[in-house]
Amino acid sequence: LTLEDFDKMIYLDGVVKEVQRLRPPNSIIARSATKDTKIGEYFIPKGQLVLISNYNIHHSSEEWDDPEDFRPRRWEKKNGGCKKNTEFAFLTFSGGRRKCLGQPLVTQEAKIIIAILTQCFEITMATQDIKAIEGALHRPTQLQMHWKPRITRKSVLNMDLVMSSLPISRTLTTILDNEGHLSA
């Protein structure tokens, strides 16, 4: 795989964004009002803490068609095809001037990791009932998967590259057992 290959992976880009939309790692964005502001009928005084639920926005039928459905192809349209077509409908990395500068890097790293891992392994769910700890940060509990290596020279070379260069991959090698099971 080359960097040019990743630019052509439109569907994979949609998968990463759709996962971030449906299950954002942070469900709330906090900001402090820098001046007295009125939004609609609501008055927000300077200094007031404002909480924005990006989870609710990502799941809103006012913003998205079929918001509960996992549809990676929606991202083939500009802005994921959200109804109002604003940058504030997809807030995994916040929005506006305070948007996380690391978004392109994180998204590219996720695409690289997913592409290489799926090239190197057949991954299946060992459990169907996935629980999540809800709160400011979402994370799964009792997530178990089976990892069956795809043995090819190319996949072994890519696996070695991943395992040697990414901290998360070093963790994967320590918790992947001889039968290809991974528990996280």
Side-chain angles (χ1 to χ4, degrees):
L1 294 172
T2 66
L3 289 177
E4 292 78 29
D5 293 332
F6 288 103
D7 290 337
K8 298 173 191 168
M9 295 183 182
I10 305 302
Y11 186 78
L12 180 58
D13 188 56
V15 167
V16 170
K17 287 179 180 172
E18 194 68 349
V19 167
Q20 292 171 341
R21 184 187 70 80
L22 285 170
R23 296 289 180 255
N26 59 328
S27 59
I28 296 172
I29 300 168
R31 294 289 183 260
S32 181
T34 57
K35 62 182 180 180
D36 289 346
T37 306
K38 189 169 182 177
I39 300 176
E41 61 186 63
Y42 299 99
F43 176 75
I44 303 168
K46 179 180 178 177
Q48 176 70 48
L49 182 65
V50 178
L51 301 177
I52 302 162
S53 174
N54 58 339
Y55 182 88
N56 287 341
I57 292 170
H58 292 176
H59 290 257
S60 170
S61 59
E62 290 180 25
E63 299 289 342
W64 303 93
D65 289 326
D66 305 315
E68 298 300 325
D69 293 348
F70 181 78
R71 292 183 23 214
R73 296 227 183 266
R74 76 172 75 229
W75 293 97
E76 292 173 3
K77 300 176 187 171
K78 184 179 178 184
N79 247 356
C82 71
K83 292 179 179 180
K84 296 179 183 173
N85 200 21
T86 74
E87 72 172 289
F88 296 103
F90 181 63
L91 292 171
T92 298
F93 296 90
S94 191
R97 295 184 322 204
R98 303 276 186 223
K99 187 173 189 171
C100 177
L101 296 175
Q103 178 183 4
L105 176 65
V106 169
T107 302
Q108 187 73 355
E109 283 182 341
K111 286 172 62 175
I112 291 168
I113 291 168
I114 292 168
I116 291 175
L117 288 178
T118 55
Q119 183 182 36
C120 297
F121 296 98
E122 277 184 45
I123 307 165
T124 56
M125 298 297 296
T127 55
Q128 295 302 315
D129 188 28
I130 301 171
K131 305 278 189 240
I133 295 176
E134 303 292 333
L137 299 177
H138 296 279
R139 65 182 178 87
T141 62
Q142 302 302 314
L143 174 62
Q144 295 183 351
M145 303 178 327
H146 296 289
W147 295 66
K148 181 181 173 187
R150 301 175 196 253
I151 305 299
T152 67
R153 178 168 168 67
K154 189 174 184 177
S155 67
V156 169
L157 291 174
N158 281 337
M159 194 168 19
D160 287 343
L161 171 70
V162 170
M163 298 305 176
S164 65
S165 64
L166 299 171
I168 190 169
S169 299
R170 285 190 211 103
T171 303
L172 287 176
T173 59
T174 62
I175 57 178
L176 188 63
D177 68 19
N178 292 334
E179 296 177 20
H181 295 85
L182 176 72
S183 294

mmCIF file of all heavy atoms in Angstrom, residues 27-73:
data_model
loop_
_atom_site.group_PDB
_atom_site.id
_atom_site.type_symbol
_atom_site.label_atom_id
_atom_site.label_comp_id
_atom_site.label_asym_id
_atom_site.label_seq_id
_atom_site.Cartn_x
_atom_site.Cartn_y
_atom_site.Cartn_z
ATOM 1 N N SER A 27 -18.549 12.757 23.586
ATOM 2 C CA SER A 27 -19.945 13.036 23.247
ATOM 3 C C SER A 27 -20.343 14.480 23.528
ATOM 4 O O SER A 27 -21.413 14.912 23.135
ATOM 5 C CB SER A 27 -20.862 12.088 24.024
ATOM 6 O OG SER A 27 -20.660 12.240 25.403
ATOM 7 N N ILE A 28 -19.466 15.218 24.209
ATOM 8 C CA ILE A 28 -19.790 16.594 24.589
ATOM 9 C C ILE A 28 -18.598 17.496 24.311
ATOM 10 O O ILE A 28 -17.455 17.136 24.575
ATOM 11 C CB ILE A 28 -20.149 16.686 26.087
ATOM 12 C CG1 ILE A 28 -21.413 15.876 26.371
ATOM 13 C CG2 ILE A 28 -20.326 18.121 26.535
ATOM 14 C CD1 ILE A 28 -21.735 15.742 27.843
ATOM 15 N N ILE A 29 -18.885 18.665 23.772
ATOM 16 C CA ILE A 29 -17.870 19.699 23.576
ATOM 17 C C ILE A 29 -18.228 20.844 24.509
ATOM 18 O O ILE A 29 -19.382 21.282 24.545
ATOM 19 C CB ILE A 29 -17.857 20.191 22.118
ATOM 20 C CG1 ILE A 29 -17.538 19.028 21.159
ATOM 21 C CG2 ILE A 29 -16.872 21.336 21.935
ATOM 22 C CD1 ILE A 29 -17.789 19.352 19.705
ATOM 23 N N ALA A 30 -17.267 21.328 25.261
ATOM 24 C CA ALA A 30 -17.514 22.422 26.207
ATOM 25 C C ALA A 30 -16.811 23.692 25.719
ATOM 26 O O ALA A 30 -15.647 23.645 25.300
ATOM 27 C CB ALA A 30 -17.011 22.045 27.595
ATOM 28 N N ARG A 31 -17.513 24.795 25.774
ATOM 29 C CA ARG A 31 -16.960 26.104 25.415
ATOM 30 C C ARG A 31 -17.475 27.123 26.414
ATOM 31 O O ARG A 31 -18.547 26.977 26.989
ATOM 32 C CB ARG A 31 -17.383 26.531 24.006
ATOM 33 C CG ARG A 31 -16.833 25.666 22.891
ATOM 34 C CD ARG A 31 -15.327 25.886 22.726
ATOM 35 N NE ARG A 31 -14.795 25.121 21.632
ATOM 36 C CZ ARG A 31 -14.154 23.967 21.761
ATOM 37 N NH1 ARG A 31 -14.004 23.432 22.953
ATOM 38 N NH2 ARG A 31 -13.666 23.358 20.712
ATOM 39 N N SER A 32 -16.719 28.201 26.571
ATOM 40 C CA SER A 32 -17.116 29.299 27.436
ATOM 41 C C SER A 32 -17.473 30.491 26.553
ATOM 42 O O SER A 32 -16.708 30.847 25.652
ATOM 43 C CB SER A 32 -15.962 29.654 28.375
ATOM 44 O OG SER A 32 -16.329 30.687 29.243
ATOM 45 N N ALA A 33 -18.624 31.096 26.804
ATOM 46 C CA ALA A 33 -19.050 32.255 26.013
ATOM 47 C C ALA A 33 -18.089 33.415 26.239
ATOM 48 O O ALA A 33 -17.787 33.776 27.374
ATOM 49 C CB ALA A 33 -20.467 32.657 26.388
ATOM 50 N N THR A 34 -17.571 33.983 25.167
ATOM 51 C CA THR A 34 -16.599 35.085 25.270
ATOM 52 C C THR A 34 -17.279 36.447 25.360
ATOM 53 O O THR A 34 -16.623 37.442 25.653
ATOM 54 C CB THR A 34 -15.642 35.075 24.063
ATOM 55 O OG1 THR A 34 -16.411 35.162 22.861
ATOM 56 C CG2 THR A 34 -14.801 33.800 24.052
ATOM 57 N N LYS A 35 -18.588 36.486 25.101
ATOM 58 C CA LYS A 35 -19.345 37.727 25.226
ATOM 59 C C LYS A 35 -20.813 37.367 25.423
ATOM 60 O O LYS A 35 -21.239 36.247 25.166
ATOM 61 C CB LYS A 35 -19.167 38.621 23.998
ATOM 62 C CG LYS A 35 -19.660 37.988 22.711
ATOM 63 C CD LYS A 35 -19.410 38.902 21.521
ATOM 64 C CE LYS A 35 -19.915 38.226 20.254
ATOM 65 N NZ LYS A 35 -19.707 39.033 19.077
ATOM 66 N N ASP A 36 -21.600 38.319 25.891
ATOM 67 C CA ASP A 36 -23.041 38.093 25.998
ATOM 68 C C ASP A 36 -23.583 37.765 24.604
ATOM 69 O O ASP A 36 -23.242 38.431 23.621
ATOM 70 C CB ASP A 36 -23.754 39.342 26.535
ATOM 71 C CG ASP A 36 -23.473 39.591 28.009
ATOM 72 O OD1 ASP A 36 -22.945 38.672 28.679
ATOM 73 O OD2 ASP A 36 -23.793 40.693 28.490
ATOM 74 N N THR A 37 -24.380 36.731 24.544
ATOM 75 C CA THR A 37 -24.876 36.253 23.248
ATOM 76 C C THR A 37 -26.330 35.845 23.368
ATOM 77 O O THR A 37 -26.765 35.369 24.408
ATOM 78 C CB THR A 37 -24.059 35.003 22.797
ATOM 79 O OG1 THR A 37 -22.675 35.329 22.814
ATOM 80 C CG2 THR A 37 -24.450 34.549 21.412
ATOM 81 N N LYS A 38 -27.067 36.029 22.298
ATOM 82 C CA LYS A 38 -28.437 35.534 22.253
ATOM 83 C C LYS A 38 -28.560 34.596 21.056
ATOM 84 O O LYS A 38 -28.214 34.955 19.933
ATOM 85 C CB LYS A 38 -29.430 36.690 22.137
ATOM 86 C CG LYS A 38 -30.851 36.217 22.300
ATOM 87 C CD LYS A 38 -31.803 37.376 22.464
ATOM 88 C CE LYS A 38 -33.201 36.788 22.682
ATOM 89 N NZ LYS A 38 -34.196 37.758 22.915
ATOM 90 N N ILE A 39 -29.030 33.375 21.327
ATOM 91 C CA ILE A 39 -29.268 32.395 20.273
ATOM 92 C C ILE A 39 -30.756 32.069 20.316
ATOM 93 O O ILE A 39 -31.229 31.465 21.278
ATOM 94 C CB ILE A 39 -28.422 31.122 20.473
ATOM 95 C CG1 ILE A 39 -26.933 31.475 20.457
ATOM 96 C CG2 ILE A 39 -28.748 30.085 19.404
ATOM 97 C CD1 ILE A 39 -26.009 30.314 20.747
ATOM 98 N N GLY A 40 -31.452 32.504 19.298
ATOM 99 C CA GLY A 40 -32.906 32.349 19.309
ATOM 100 C C GLY A 40 -33.474 33.115 20.482
ATOM 101 O O GLY A 40 -33.218 34.299 20.665
ATOM 102 N N GLU A 41 -34.225 32.427 21.337
ATOM 103 C CA GLU A 41 -34.807 33.068 22.515
ATOM 104 C C GLU A 41 -33.939 32.909 23.766
ATOM 105 O O GLU A 41 -34.308 33.368 24.835
ATOM 106 C CB GLU A 41 -36.204 32.492 22.772
ATOM 107 C CG GLU A 41 -36.187 31.000 23.045
ATOM 108 C CD GLU A 41 -37.577 30.412 23.143
ATOM 109 O OE1 GLU A 41 -38.301 30.462 22.131
ATOM 110 O OE2 GLU A 41 -37.920 29.902 24.214
ATOM 111 N N TYR A 42 -32.776 32.299 23.615
ATOM 112 C CA TYR A 42 -31.922 32.021 24.776
ATOM 113 C C TYR A 42 -30.812 33.054 24.914
ATOM 114 O O TYR A 42 -30.086 33.336 23.965
ATOM 115 C CB TYR A 42 -31.306 30.623 24.660
ATOM 116 C CG TYR A 42 -32.349 29.532 24.616
ATOM 117 C CD1 TYR A 42 -32.735 28.965 23.404
ATOM 118 C CD2 TYR A 42 -32.955 29.087 25.784
ATOM 119 C CE1 TYR A 42 -33.692 27.972 23.355
ATOM 120 C CE2 TYR A 42 -33.925 28.097 25.746
ATOM 121 C CZ TYR A 42 -34.289 27.545 24.526
ATOM 122 O OH TYR A 42 -35.240 26.569 24.485
ATOM 123 N N PHE A 43 -30.672 33.584 26.120
ATOM 124 C CA PHE A 43 -29.597 34.517 26.442
ATOM 125 C C PHE A 43 -28.476 33.751 27.131
ATOM 126 O O PHE A 43 -28.707 33.002 28.082
ATOM 127 C CB PHE A 43 -30.102 35.642 27.361
ATOM 128 C CG PHE A 43 -29.000 36.562 27.792
ATOM 129 C CD1 PHE A 43 -28.471 37.495 26.906
ATOM 130 C CD2 PHE A 43 -28.478 36.492 29.077
ATOM 131 C CE1 PHE A 43 -27.448 38.336 27.293
ATOM 132 C CE2 PHE A 43 -27.458 37.337 29.473
ATOM 133 C CZ PHE A 43 -26.938 38.270 28.578
ATOM 134 N N ILE A 44 -27.248 33.932 26.635
ATOM 135 C CA ILE A 44 -26.074 33.273 27.212
ATOM 136 C C ILE A 44 -25.119 34.373 27.666
ATOM 137 O O ILE A 44 -24.548 35.085 26.841
ATOM 138 C CB ILE A 44 -25.390 32.349 26.200
ATOM 139 C CG1 ILE A 44 -26.391 31.308 25.689
ATOM 140 C CG2 ILE A 44 -24.165 31.678 26.809
ATOM 141 C CD1 ILE A 44 -25.922 30.525 24.500
ATOM 142 N N PRO A 45 -24.940 34.535 28.985
ATOM 143 C CA PRO A 45 -24.051 35.599 29.472
ATOM 144 C C PRO A 45 -22.577 35.252 29.248
ATOM 145 O O PRO A 45 -22.204 34.074 29.185
ATOM 146 C CB PRO A 45 -24.377 35.676 30.963
ATOM 147 C CG PRO A 45 -24.927 34.345 31.317
ATOM 148 C CD PRO A 45 -25.580 33.804 30.086
ATOM 149 N N LYS A 46 -21.760 36.288 29.156
ATOM 150 C CA LYS A 46 -20.320 36.121 29.014
ATOM 151 C C LYS A 46 -19.809 35.247 30.163
ATOM 152 O O LYS A 46 -20.206 35.408 31.316
ATOM 153 C CB LYS A 46 -19.628 37.492 29.045
ATOM 154 C CG LYS A 46 -18.126 37.396 28.932
ATOM 155 C CD LYS A 46 -17.480 38.764 28.974
ATOM 156 C CE LYS A 46 -15.968 38.602 28.905
ATOM 157 N NZ LYS A 46 -15.293 39.891 28.878
ATOM 158 N N GLY A 47 -18.928 34.309 29.835
ATOM 159 C CA GLY A 47 -18.344 33.436 30.838
ATOM 160 C C GLY A 47 -19.142 32.161 31.106
ATOM 161 O O GLY A 47 -18.652 31.244 31.769
ATOM 162 N N GLN A 48 -20.363 32.090 30.597
ATOM 163 C CA GLN A 48 -21.205 30.909 30.813
ATOM 164 C C GLN A 48 -20.619 29.693 30.085
ATOM 165 O O GLN A 48 -20.212 29.795 28.940
ATOM 166 C CB GLN A 48 -22.622 31.175 30.301
ATOM 167 C CG GLN A 48 -23.551 29.993 30.387
ATOM 168 C CD GLN A 48 -23.914 29.659 31.829
ATOM 169 O OE1 GLN A 48 -24.277 30.543 32.593
ATOM 170 N NE2 GLN A 48 -23.801 28.404 32.189
ATOM 171 N N LEU A 49 -20.569 28.558 30.771
ATOM 172 C CA LEU A 49 -20.130 27.321 30.147
ATOM 173 C C LEU A 49 -21.262 26.795 29.265
ATOM 174 O O LEU A 49 -22.401 26.679 29.694
ATOM 175 C CB LEU A 49 -19.765 26.277 31.204
ATOM 176 C CG LEU A 49 -19.232 24.945 30.677
ATOM 177 C CD1 LEU A 49 -17.890 25.152 29.978
ATOM 178 C CD2 LEU A 49 -19.070 23.954 31.826
ATOM 179 N N VAL A 50 -20.935 26.503 28.013
ATOM 180 C CA VAL A 50 -21.914 25.984 27.054
ATOM 181 C C VAL A 50 -21.479 24.574 26.670
ATOM 182 O O VAL A 50 -20.325 24.353 26.300
ATOM 183 C CB VAL A 50 -21.984 26.880 25.794
ATOM 184 C CG1 VAL A 50 -22.953 26.317 24.775
ATOM 185 C CG2 VAL A 50 -22.342 28.307 26.170
ATOM 186 N N LEU A 51 -22.408 23.625 26.793
ATOM 187 C CA LEU A 51 -22.131 22.245 26.427
ATOM 188 C C LEU A 51 -22.852 21.909 25.123
ATOM 189 O O LEU A 51 -24.048 22.165 24.995
ATOM 190 C CB LEU A 51 -22.579 21.286 27.530
ATOM 191 C CG LEU A 51 -21.924 21.493 28.894
ATOM 192 C CD1 LEU A 51 -22.512 20.532 29.919
ATOM 193 C CD2 LEU A 51 -20.417 21.322 28.799
ATOM 194 N N ILE A 52 -22.116 21.356 24.188
ATOM 195 C CA ILE A 52 -22.674 20.983 22.891
ATOM 196 C C ILE A 52 -22.604 19.463 22.792
ATOM 197 O O ILE A 52 -21.525 18.880 22.940
ATOM 198 C CB ILE A 52 -21.867 21.621 21.741
ATOM 199 C CG1 ILE A 52 -21.851 23.144 21.901
ATOM 200 C CG2 ILE A 52 -22.408 21.196 20.384
ATOM 201 C CD1 ILE A 52 -20.775 23.827 21.109
ATOM 202 N N SER A 53 -23.723 18.828 22.544
ATOM 203 C CA SER A 53 -23.753 17.375 22.419
ATOM 204 C C SER A 53 -23.554 16.986 20.963
ATOM 205 O O SER A 53 -24.495 16.934 20.179
ATOM 206 C CB SER A 53 -25.081 16.810 22.936
ATOM 207 O OG SER A 53 -25.123 15.420 22.683
ATOM 208 N N ASN A 54 -22.290 16.713 20.600
ATOM 209 C CA ASN A 54 -22.051 16.280 19.228
ATOM 210 C C ASN A 54 -22.680 14.911 18.969
ATOM 211 O O ASN A 54 -23.093 14.614 17.857
ATOM 212 C CB ASN A 54 -20.577 16.303 18.859
ATOM 213 C CG ASN A 54 -19.712 15.460 19.748
ATOM 214 O OD1 ASN A 54 -20.072 15.131 20.865
ATOM 215 N ND2 ASN A 54 -18.539 15.102 19.266
ATOM 216 N N TYR A 55 -22.813 14.095 19.997
ATOM 217 C CA TYR A 55 -23.484 12.803 19.838
ATOM 218 C C TYR A 55 -24.929 13.013 19.364
ATOM 219 O O TYR A 55 -25.379 12.375 18.419
ATOM 220 C CB TYR A 55 -23.471 12.028 21.157
ATOM 221 C CG TYR A 55 -24.108 10.663 21.048
ATOM 222 C CD1 TYR A 55 -23.350 9.557 20.677
ATOM 223 C CD2 TYR A 55 -25.459 10.487 21.294
ATOM 224 C CE1 TYR A 55 -23.934 8.307 20.556
ATOM 225 C CE2 TYR A 55 -26.049 9.243 21.171
ATOM 226 C CZ TYR A 55 -25.288 8.153 20.807
ATOM 227 O OH TYR A 55 -25.873 6.925 20.681
ATOM 228 N N ASN A 56 -25.648 13.934 20.010
ATOM 229 C CA ASN A 56 -27.032 14.193 19.605
ATOM 230 C C ASN A 56 -27.116 14.810 18.214
ATOM 231 O O ASN A 56 -28.024 14.490 17.444
ATOM 232 C CB ASN A 56 -27.741 15.083 20.624
ATOM 233 C CG ASN A 56 -28.072 14.343 21.901
ATOM 234 O OD1 ASN A 56 -28.105 13.117 21.930
ATOM 235 N ND2 ASN A 56 -28.301 15.075 22.971
ATOM 236 N N ILE A 57 -26.195 15.691 17.882
ATOM 237 C CA ILE A 57 -26.185 16.291 16.546
ATOM 238 C C ILE A 57 -25.919 15.215 15.494
ATOM 239 O O ILE A 57 -26.573 15.165 14.456
ATOM 240 C CB ILE A 57 -25.143 17.428 16.452
ATOM 241 C CG1 ILE A 57 -25.590 18.603 17.333
ATOM 242 C CG2 ILE A 57 -24.948 17.879 15.008
ATOM 243 C CD1 ILE A 57 -24.543 19.673 17.518
ATOM 244 N N HIS A 58 -24.979 14.320 15.783
ATOM 245 C CA HIS A 58 -24.644 13.245 14.839
ATOM 246 C C HIS A 58 -25.796 12.258 14.642
ATOM 247 O O HIS A 58 -25.829 11.543 13.646
ATOM 248 C CB HIS A 58 -23.418 12.473 15.315
ATOM 249 C CG HIS A 58 -22.161 13.270 15.268
ATOM 250 N ND1 HIS A 58 -20.963 12.768 15.735
ATOM 251 C CD2 HIS A 58 -21.879 14.514 14.823
ATOM 252 C CE1 HIS A 58 -20.015 13.668 15.581
ATOM 253 N NE2 HIS A 58 -20.558 14.743 15.027
ATOM 254 N N HIS A 59 -26.717 12.209 15.596
ATOM 255 C CA HIS A 59 -27.841 11.274 15.532
ATOM 256 C C HIS A 59 -29.167 11.992 15.263
ATOM 257 O O HIS A 59 -30.236 11.419 15.440
ATOM 258 C CB HIS A 59 -27.939 10.474 16.839
ATOM 259 C CG HIS A 59 -26.808 9.503 16.999
ATOM 260 N ND1 HIS A 59 -26.944 8.162 16.776
ATOM 261 C CD2 HIS A 59 -25.502 9.692 17.328
ATOM 262 C CE1 HIS A 59 -25.784 7.557 16.973
ATOM 263 N NE2 HIS A 59 -24.898 8.468 17.303
ATOM 264 N N SER A 60 -29.113 13.238 14.838
ATOM 265 C CA SER A 60 -30.315 14.040 14.625
ATOM 266 C C SER A 60 -30.873 13.856 13.211
ATOM 267 O O SER A 60 -30.154 14.028 12.218
ATOM 268 C CB SER A 60 -29.996 15.520 14.847
ATOM 269 O OG SER A 60 -31.074 16.323 14.431
ATOM 270 N N SER A 61 -32.167 13.568 13.129
ATOM 271 C CA SER A 61 -32.804 13.460 11.817
ATOM 272 C C SER A 61 -32.983 14.839 11.171
ATOM 273 O O SER A 61 -33.263 14.920 9.976
ATOM 274 C CB SER A 61 -34.150 12.739 11.930
ATOM 275 O OG SER A 61 -35.007 13.442 12.807
ATOM 276 N N GLU A 62 -32.807 15.910 11.938
ATOM 277 C CA GLU A 62 -32.833 17.254 11.353
ATOM 278 C C GLU A 62 -31.567 17.520 10.548
ATOM 279 O O GLU A 62 -31.560 18.346 9.646
ATOM 280 C CB GLU A 62 -32.981 18.308 12.445
ATOM 281 C CG GLU A 62 -34.334 18.328 13.108
ATOM 282 C CD GLU A 62 -34.432 19.402 14.180
ATOM 283 O OE1 GLU A 62 -33.684 20.404 14.098
ATOM 284 O OE2 GLU A 62 -35.244 19.235 15.096
ATOM 285 N N GLU A 63 -30.491 16.834 10.911
ATOM 286 C CA GLU A 63 -29.205 17.043 10.243
ATOM 287 C C GLU A 63 -28.890 15.962 9.211
ATOM 288 O O GLU A 63 -28.227 16.238 8.219
ATOM 289 C CB GLU A 63 -28.067 17.075 11.272
ATOM 290 C CG GLU A 63 -28.179 18.188 12.295
ATOM 291 C CD GLU A 63 -27.916 19.552 11.717
ATOM 292 O OE1 GLU A 63 -27.329 19.665 10.638
ATOM 293 O OE2 GLU A 63 -28.312 20.539 12.364
ATOM 294 N N TRP A 64 -29.314 14.710 9.474
ATOM 295 C CA TRP A 64 -28.882 13.563 8.672
ATOM 296 C C TRP A 64 -30.068 12.738 8.206
ATOM 297 O O TRP A 64 -31.015 12.524 8.952
ATOM 298 C CB TRP A 64 -27.966 12.658 9.507
ATOM 299 C CG TRP A 64 -26.781 13.357 10.051
ATOM 300 C CD1 TRP A 64 -26.681 13.950 11.291
ATOM 301 C CD2 TRP A 64 -25.539 13.572 9.413
ATOM 302 N NE1 TRP A 64 -25.444 14.511 11.441
ATOM 303 C CE2 TRP A 64 -24.713 14.295 10.298
ATOM 304 C CE3 TRP A 64 -25.025 13.227 8.174
ATOM 305 C CZ2 TRP A 64 -23.420 14.665 9.984
ATOM 306 C CZ3 TRP A 64 -23.717 13.592 7.863
ATOM 307 C CH2 TRP A 64 -22.946 14.307 8.758
ATOM 308 N N ASP A 65 -29.992 12.227 6.996
ATOM 309 C CA ASP A 65 -30.936 11.208 6.536
ATOM 310 C C ASP A 65 -30.560 9.896 7.211
ATOM 311 O O ASP A 65 -29.379 9.531 7.227
ATOM 312 C CB ASP A 65 -30.852 11.033 5.015
ATOM 313 C CG ASP A 65 -31.433 12.220 4.262
ATOM 314 O OD1 ASP A 65 -32.405 12.814 4.764
ATOM 315 O OD2 ASP A 65 -30.900 12.541 3.185
ATOM 316 N N ASP A 66 -31.543 9.197 7.731
ATOM 317 C CA ASP A 66 -31.317 7.903 8.390
ATOM 318 C C ASP A 66 -30.127 7.966 9.350
ATOM 319 O O ASP A 66 -29.137 7.257 9.172
ATOM 320 C CB ASP A 66 -31.093 6.800 7.347
ATOM 321 C CG ASP A 66 -32.216 6.723 6.339
ATOM 322 O OD1 ASP A 66 -33.386 6.770 6.764
ATOM 323 O OD2 ASP A 66 -31.925 6.629 5.127
ATOM 324 N N PRO A 67 -30.201 8.822 10.378
ATOM 325 C CA PRO A 67 -29.035 9.067 11.229
ATOM 326 C C PRO A 67 -28.544 7.863 12.023
ATOM 327 O O PRO A 67 -27.368 7.822 12.401
ATOM 328 C CB PRO A 67 -29.505 10.178 12.170
ATOM 329 C CG PRO A 67 -30.981 10.047 12.202
ATOM 330 C CD PRO A 67 -31.373 9.566 10.840
ATOM 331 N N GLU A 68 -29.384 6.873 12.273
ATOM 332 C CA GLU A 68 -28.960 5.706 13.053
ATOM 333 C C GLU A 68 -28.340 4.615 12.184
ATOM 334 O O GLU A 68 -27.802 3.644 12.700
ATOM 335 C CB GLU A 68 -30.138 5.130 13.849
ATOM 336 C CG GLU A 68 -30.717 6.097 14.872
ATOM 337 C CD GLU A 68 -29.714 6.544 15.931
ATOM 338 O OE1 GLU A 68 -28.860 5.725 16.329
ATOM 339 O OE2 GLU A 68 -29.775 7.708 16.341
ATOM 340 N N ASP A 69 -28.414 4.775 10.873
ATOM 341 C CA ASP A 69 -27.886 3.758 9.957
ATOM 342 C C ASP A 69 -26.410 4.003 9.670
ATOM 343 O O ASP A 69 -25.982 5.147 9.493
ATOM 344 C CB ASP A 69 -28.651 3.768 8.630
ATOM 345 C CG ASP A 69 -30.086 3.310 8.782
ATOM 346 O OD1 ASP A 69 -30.436 2.768 9.861
ATOM 347 O OD2 ASP A 69 -30.859 3.513 7.831
ATOM 348 N N PHE A 70 -25.667 2.907 9.602
ATOM 349 C CA PHE A 70 -24.260 2.955 9.219
ATOM 350 C C PHE A 70 -24.206 2.930 7.696
ATOM 351 O O PHE A 70 -24.458 1.907 7.065
ATOM 352 C CB PHE A 70 -23.517 1.751 9.815
ATOM 353 C CG PHE A 70 -22.052 1.742 9.485
ATOM 354 C CD1 PHE A 70 -21.174 2.566 10.168
ATOM 355 C CD2 PHE A 70 -21.543 0.889 8.512
ATOM 356 C CE1 PHE A 70 -19.817 2.557 9.879
ATOM 357 C CE2 PHE A 70 -20.194 0.870 8.222
ATOM 358 C CZ PHE A 70 -19.329 1.702 8.896
ATOM 359 N N ARG A 71 -23.932 4.109 7.109
ATOM 360 C CA ARG A 71 -23.931 4.247 5.655
ATOM 361 C C ARG A 71 -22.675 4.986 5.197
ATOM 362 O O ARG A 71 -22.693 6.192 4.969
ATOM 363 C CB ARG A 71 -25.174 5.007 5.201
ATOM 364 C CG ARG A 71 -26.466 4.235 5.422
ATOM 365 C CD ARG A 71 -27.707 4.932 4.911
ATOM 366 N NE ARG A 71 -27.462 5.910 3.863
ATOM 367 C CZ ARG A 71 -28.167 7.029 3.717
ATOM 368 N NH1 ARG A 71 -29.150 7.311 4.528
ATOM 369 N NH2 ARG A 71 -27.899 7.858 2.750
ATOM 370 N N PRO A 72 -21.555 4.265 5.035
ATOM 371 C CA PRO A 72 -20.305 4.918 4.611
ATOM 372 C C PRO A 72 -20.407 5.662 3.287
ATOM 373 O O PRO A 72 -19.703 6.648 3.084
ATOM 374 C CB PRO A 72 -19.312 3.754 4.507
ATOM 375 C CG PRO A 72 -19.864 2.695 5.396
ATOM 376 C CD PRO A 72 -21.362 2.841 5.315
ATOM 377 N N ARG A 73 -21.295 5.211 2.400
ATOM 378 C CA ARG A 73 -21.404 5.870 1.093
ATOM 379 C C ARG A 73 -21.985 7.282 1.184
ATOM 380 O O ARG A 73 -21.841 8.061 0.247
ATOM 381 C CB ARG A 73 -22.234 5.020 0.136
ATOM 382 C CG ARG A 73 -21.579 3.690 -0.169
ATOM 383 C CD ARG A 73 -21.595 3.396 -1.647
ATOM 384 N NE ARG A 73 -21.022 2.093 -1.922
ATOM 385 C CZ ARG A 73 -19.752 1.899 -2.246
ATOM 386 N NH1 ARG A 73 -18.938 2.916 -2.334
ATOM 387 N NH2 ARG A 73 -19.292 0.691 -2.490
#
